[in-house]
């Protein structure tokens, strides 16, 4: 390849930007063609090299200058360390952490202890633990049965148990048996609002 351009592809959005050289015109003609009169800036393969810091160096013969392209910063890591969320990048707002829903969300929550760090030294009410364990058992049944009638029935029952666990948690907080932070952490772990949608 004797003629060309240097492009950058944004990993998050797939947007292509021209960093150096001149892209092909919409009509299909190549602005870097040898027959062009007063051709625009074009990058030739033999005009490229790297400096000792591995930065790309371009010899711009028309302007008689040497340009260095600074590599763009790597995309930020949006991994929040929570296996129960889907981590994505929104170009306008940044990292987005979406909790898993449905049976997958319950199954993921069941793989973690019900007592969050915010409940250090505060025992989870036994009834809440029993209801959560029962919901986890029904989540396994729902996962195996899929969209069958049996699976839908297990899904409804586990939602009922999680709602009951949430009410018991709220009652314990109202009676000051749990701190507000601990109760909120348990409710978040139960995930009732985001799981109320259909399986």
């Amino acid at each position: 390849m004797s003629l060309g351009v240097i492009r950058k592809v944004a990993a998050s959005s797939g947007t292509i930007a021209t960093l150096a050289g001149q892209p092909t015109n919409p009509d299909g003609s190549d602005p870097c063609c040898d027959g062009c009169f007063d051709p625009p800036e074009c990058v030739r393969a033999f005009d490229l090299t790297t400096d000792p810091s591995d930065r790309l160096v371009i010899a711009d013969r028309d302007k008689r200058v040497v340009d260095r392209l600074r590599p763009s910063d790597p995309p930020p890591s949006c991994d929040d360390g929570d296996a129960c969320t889907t981590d994505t990048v929104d170009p306008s707002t940044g990292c987005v952490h979406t909790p898993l829903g449905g049976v997958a969300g319950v199954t993921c929550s069941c793989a973690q202890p019900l007592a969050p760090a915010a409940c250090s030294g505060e025992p989870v009410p036994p009834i809440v633990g029993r209801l959560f364990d029962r919901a986890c058992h029904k989540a396994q049944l729902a996962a195996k049965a899929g969209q069958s009638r049996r699976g839908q029935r297990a899904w409804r029952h586990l939602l009922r148990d999680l709602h009951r666990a949430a009410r018991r948690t709220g009652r314990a907080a109202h009676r000051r048996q749990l701190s507000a932070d601990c109760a909120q952490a348990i409710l978040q772990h139960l995930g009732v609002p985001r799981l109320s949608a259909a399986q």
Side-chain angles (χ1 to χ4, degrees):
M1 182 179 74
S2 60
L3 303 172
V5 295
I6 300 173
R7 290 191 170 102
K8 177 181 75 173
V9 180
S12 60
S13 63
T15 303
I16 301 175
T18 300
L19 295 183
Q22 187 75 20
T24 302
N25 288 332
D27 62 6
S29 62
D30 186 349
C32 293
C33 66
D34 294 333
C36 295
F37 178 76
D38 191 19
E41 297 177 64
C42 299
V43 177
R44 293 162 287 271
F46 50 79
D47 290 337
L48 306 177
T49 186
T50 55
D51 66 8
S53 301
D54 287 331
R55 290 180 300 181
L56 189 63
V57 178
I58 302 172
D60 189 337
R61 300 187 181 208
D62 296 328
K63 291 185 177 179
R64 300 189 181 204
V65 296
V66 174
D67 296 324
R68 286 185 175 86
L69 290 184
R70 184 179 65 84
S72 59
D73 296 330
S77 173
C78 285
D79 185 3
D80 62 356
D82 186 351
C84 297
T85 61
T86 300
D87 307 318
T88 56
V89 179
D90 186 321
S92 58
T93 60
C95 294
V96 178
H97 310 291
T98 306
L100 295 176
V103 174
V106 179
T107 304
C108 187
S109 294
C110 290
Q112 303 173 5
L114 178 57
C119 295
S120 177
E122 299 181 58
V124 176
I127 184 62
V128 174
R130 287 196 297 271
L131 288 167
F132 181 67
D133 290 342
R134 194 161 69 179
C136 291
H137 174 68
K138 290 173 183 172
Q140 294 176 352
L141 296 177
K144 290 179 183 177
Q147 295 295 328
S148 67
R149 292 179 65 181
R150 184 181 178 203
Q152 293 294 333
R153 186 169 59 251
W155 172 251
R156 289 193 301 271
H157 288 175
L158 78 85
L159 271 183
R160 183 184 61 192
D161 287 339
L162 289 177
H163 277 285
R164 287 177 176 173
R167 286 196 298 271
R168 291 285 187 156
T169 300
R171 190 178 304 171
H174 181 71
R175 294 175 177 174
R176 300 182 184 250
Q177 296 170 342
L178 289 175
S179 67
D181 289 343
C182 176
Q184 183 60 38
I186 292 175
L187 291 174
Q188 185 175 355
H189 190 83
L190 294 174
V192 173
R194 62 182 165 85
L195 294 171
S196 294
Q199 179 178 351

